[in-house]
Amino acid sequence: SMDSLLHSLWLAPLVACMVIVAIHSYLGLHVIGREVIFVDLSLAQMAALGSTIAIFAGAEPDSTRAFAYSLAFTTIGAALFALSRSRIRGRVPQEAIIGITYVVASAASLLVADRSPKGGEAIKDILVGSLLWVGWEPIVRMAAVYVGVGIFHWVLRRRFQTISLAEHDAEAQGWNLKWWDFLFYLSFGVVIAFSVQIVGVLLVFSFLVVPAAIAFQFAERW
């Protein structure tokens, strides 16, 4: 029947959205707490650049090779953002580094896509993903990875929350903030490398920022 057909078409995308938003909304709290609102957009664009280069090199869009390229570029982004942390007056603010990274990654993606036989299609997939056509296998794989990332963040929750919301307390305890930032952004990059392939850059940004922004409007406690 038409109802069962619609149900089968929409159920997988709906479940995919719920799986993605479950971890993204939590990471979004850290993003807003750190006041690095566009770090997610920048990391997502780095992941997209990796995928675009993989496609240019002959890989299929949904292949392991494309994902490996995507993850490699998000790791570069994670290292860059961890190293650029500075609260000293007169230095270049981290938001500027994040913005520059996004613009460079976007421009590089356009240049690479222009040289690729599937260039136009690749750019569209980068922005909007392929959510409506997602299958159950990538959803299960993504959910398993997100559970692992979730456990990692739960075990280190107090450390990450202190660094995100009370940076001076973290510094007073002698923590190496650049190292902990790298671990945070690396876990962030793993999440984004999976989600950007399915929902694209625009929805990744929305899932990270919008729920967290609403939460901060109405809630005081973590």
Side-chain angles (χ1 to χ4, degrees):
S1 67
M2 184 61 73
D3 285 345
S4 62
L5 178 62
L6 287 173
H7 182 266
S8 64
L9 286 174
W10 285 100
L11 185 59
L14 179 63
V15 171
C17 284
M18 294 299 99
V19 169
I20 290 169
V21 82
I23 190 83
H24 281 60
S25 57
Y26 172 76
L27 292 172
L29 295 173
H30 282 282
V31 165
I32 290 181
R34 289 165 177 252
E35 297 181 354
V36 286
I37 309 303
F38 293 104
V39 74
D40 45 342
L41 197 60
S42 190
L43 271 181
Q45 194 62 50
M46 286 292 284
L49 173 59
S51 296
T52 308
I53 290 173
I55 292 167
F56 176 72
E60 290 298 316
D62 297 326
S63 66
T64 304
R65 186 179 168 195
F67 175 75
Y69 271 74
S70 181
L71 189 56
F73 274 81
T74 55
T75 302
I76 293 169
L80 185 61
F81 299 149
L83 291 170
S84 65
R85 169 192 277 271
S86 176
R87 296 295 184 191
I88 301 171
R89 291 177 180 274
R91 296 286 178 90
V92 176
Q94 193 175 24
E95 276 289 310
I97 304 296
I98 292 166
I100 291 166
T101 303
Y102 171 73
V103 169
V104 170
S106 298
S109 296
L110 288 169
L111 286 171
V112 174
D114 188 53
R115 299 289 180 183
S116 172
K118 303 176 183 176
E121 206 174 307
I123 290 296
K124 182 185 174 188
D125 285 345
I126 285 169
L127 290 175
V128 301
S130 53
L131 176 62
L132 293 180
W133 317 114
V134 67
W136 289 106
E137 186 180 335
I139 292 174
V140 171
R141 186 169 58 240
M142 180 174 65
V145 171
Y146 287 2
V147 167
V149 173
I151 291 170
F152 173 75
H153 273 270
W154 184 81
V155 170
L156 297 171
R157 64 192 182 281
R158 299 199 186 282
R159 188 155 295 227
F160 285 140
Q161 288 172 15
T162 301
I163 292 170
S164 291
L165 299 178
E167 184 184 324
H168 294 298
D169 293 345
E171 286 178 336
Q173 294 182 60
W175 297 347
N176 185 337
L177 297 190
K178 290 187 189 300
W179 166 248
W180 286 104
D181 269 1
F182 176 69
L183 284 180
F184 173 79
Y185 287 126
L186 184 60
S187 67
F188 201 158
V190 169
V191 168
I192 283 177
F194 276 91
S195 60
V196 79
Q197 290 184 322
I198 294 175
V199 298
V201 172
L202 300 179
L203 263 184
V204 163
F205 179 77
S206 300
F207 280 161
L208 276 159
V209 174
V210 175
I214 293 169
F216 269 102
Q217 289 288 331
F218 298 102
E220 294 291 330
R221 296 172 55 197
W222 196 272

